[in-house]
Amino acid sequence: MMNADAFAVKAIPGKGKGLVAARAIAYGELLLEEAPLFTQHHHIAENSLAAALSRLPRDDQLRYLSLANSWRGSHRPLSGIWLTNAIPCGTPEDPNGDETEVEGVFPTASLFNASCRPNVHHWWDPVKQRMVLRAERDIAQGEELCTAYTDILESRDERRAQLEEYYNFICCCVACSLTGGELRRSDRRREIVARVRGEMHEYADAALGLGRVKVAIQLLEEEGLLGSYGNQFYKAAFDLWALAGDAENARMWAIKAWELDCATKGPDSAPARHWKRLAERPDGSVESECEKDAYTLEGGEA
């Protein structure tokens, strides 16, 4: 499924082809659901790619061959295209790709260029076996549509190093183009958020943990990354309130997680349905995500 009137393929200076909003796009709007042309394990060889490509219809072969190749001169053509465009996904036998490190090439999803402050969220739906892309925020007509290629909570220098290593380009997105004090503040915000993310499942003191989680959420808002990472922290806040025995506030954070999953994954997605059930649970208890235990909860203050 493609929202064909929402975007157009354009030449992007310094990037080759990319996608640009053809009209205003609303936060949460579905842009694309797409199956891969084919999938391969993470470690690929030119002959296995050639064999997979030979099984595709002629039109799909041409679509693959038309994709960007940032590895010209250092890898053989099919491998270069794969390394430039492959996205982690899954298979019917391994829906999330957890066991086999599966990747796929998607003829349209692969055209979304990278940004460390993305306006599009991509998510592999293991039930539909489709890559789902939705707007992370309101997008103006004429804006380039970009998604994150790596963990964008790293510093600018670390992000650039990773993108150069894995995709062979130097990122010049809006976040990576910051300089001076703006760059230092951006790096610092991301550093604090990453540290809280690494520690938050170890917080034994609910009040301390919630305070730090709320700081991380505020910093994500300042960085424009709430759509990318907000649910990790909403879910942590839910767990902390659940462990504290506070149903009212646990449900408040479940609602936030549900709303963000609706926007970035879709209201019918399994994660959104899961959080909706927790938000609407009628029996006076909620379940901690990290402990998977039932807690009898009482009301309280956020």
Side-chain angles (χ1 to χ4, degrees):
M1 182 271 175
M2 183 189 304
N3 200 342
D5 74 326
F7 55 83
V9 180
K10 296 283 183 72
I12 308 295
K15 297 182 180 181
K17 289 189 292 186
L19 298 175
V20 172
R23 57 168 173 77
I25 298 171
Y27 168 60
E29 186 173 341
L30 176 64
L31 300 174
L32 180 69
E33 284 186 2
E34 186 172 51
L37 288 173
F38 61 95
T39 60
Q40 295 276 285
H41 296 307
H42 177 67
H43 302 289
I44 53 91
E46 187 83 359
N47 58 354
S48 67
L49 290 172
L53 199 60
S54 71
R55 294 190 287 269
L56 295 180
R58 177 66 174 169
D59 286 350
D60 284 344
Q61 292 178 11
L62 293 174
R63 294 171 86 187
Y64 181 88
L65 294 171
S66 72
L67 293 172
N69 180 359
S70 63
W71 294 97
R72 295 182 188 276
S74 57
H75 288 274
R76 297 180 69 182
L78 299 184
S79 297
I81 294 171
W82 180 268
L83 292 170
T84 303
N85 296 280
I87 306 172
C89 59
T91 66
E93 297 75 27
D94 180 20
N96 287 303
D98 295 330
E99 303 298 326
T100 52
E101 294 187 311
V102 171
E103 295 178 326
V105 162
F106 301 78
T108 303
S110 295
L111 297 176
F112 287 80
N113 285 320
S115 175
C116 301
R117 191 176 290 162
N119 54 16
V120 174
H121 183 89
H122 75 270
W123 174 69
W124 173 251
D125 188 328
V127 177
K128 293 181 179 180
Q129 293 285 292
R130 297 286 189 276
M131 192 65 68
V132 179
L133 294 101
R134 290 179 173 268
E136 280 198 16
R137 58 170 174 81
D138 291 337
I139 301 171
Q141 183 177 357
E143 273 192 76
E144 186 182 5
L145 304 180
C146 295
T147 189
Y149 283 19
T150 186
D151 185 355
I152 51 177
L153 292 183
E154 304 283 354
S155 70
R156 193 271 303 273
D157 290 347
E158 290 168 325
R159 297 193 307 268
R160 278 186 163 175
Q162 289 180 18
L163 290 167
E164 186 175 15
E165 177 181 358
Y166 293 116
Y167 297 99
N168 200 32
F169 70 87
I170 302 294
C171 188
C172 295
C173 72
V174 61
C176 288
S177 297
L178 295 175
T179 59
E182 285 188 332
L183 175 60
R184 289 192 295 274
R185 287 189 290 273
S186 174
D187 279 353
R188 180 61 174 158
R189 286 191 288 265
R190 293 178 193 233
E191 177 190 357
I192 293 170
V193 172
R195 186 168 66 243
V196 174
R197 180 179 63 175
E199 297 172 349
M200 63 189 179
H201 294 302
E202 301 174 4
Y203 295 139
D205 184 311
L208 172 65
L210 285 161
R212 291 182 178 175
V213 166
K214 289 178 180 179
V215 167
I217 290 169
Q218 179 182 344
L219 295 175
L220 285 171
E221 287 184 304
E222 292 175 13
E223 278 295 288
L225 299 180
L226 198 59
S228 299
Y229 291 99
N231 256 4
Q232 296 181 30
F233 295 90
Y234 293 162
K235 293 168 185 179
F238 169 86
D239 276 325
L240 288 164
W241 280 120
L243 289 166
D246 189 322
E248 180 181 346
N249 284 307
R251 286 197 180 94
M252 181 191 75
W253 289 99
I255 289 169
K256 289 179 180 289
W258 168 63
E259 290 173 342
L260 189 53
D261 273 344
C262 284
T264 58
K265 298 179 175 68
D268 295 327
S269 67
R273 294 198 307 271
H274 169 74
W275 285 102
K276 185 178 182 181
R277 285 194 299 271
L278 289 179
E280 297 177 343
R281 200 162 191 145
D283 62 1
S285 68
V286 297
E287 182 181 272
S288 164
E289 275 295 281
C290 59
E291 297 293 338
K292 301 297 181 185
D293 292 329
Y295 296 90
T296 301
L297 304 179
E298 315 229 340
E301 288 294 324

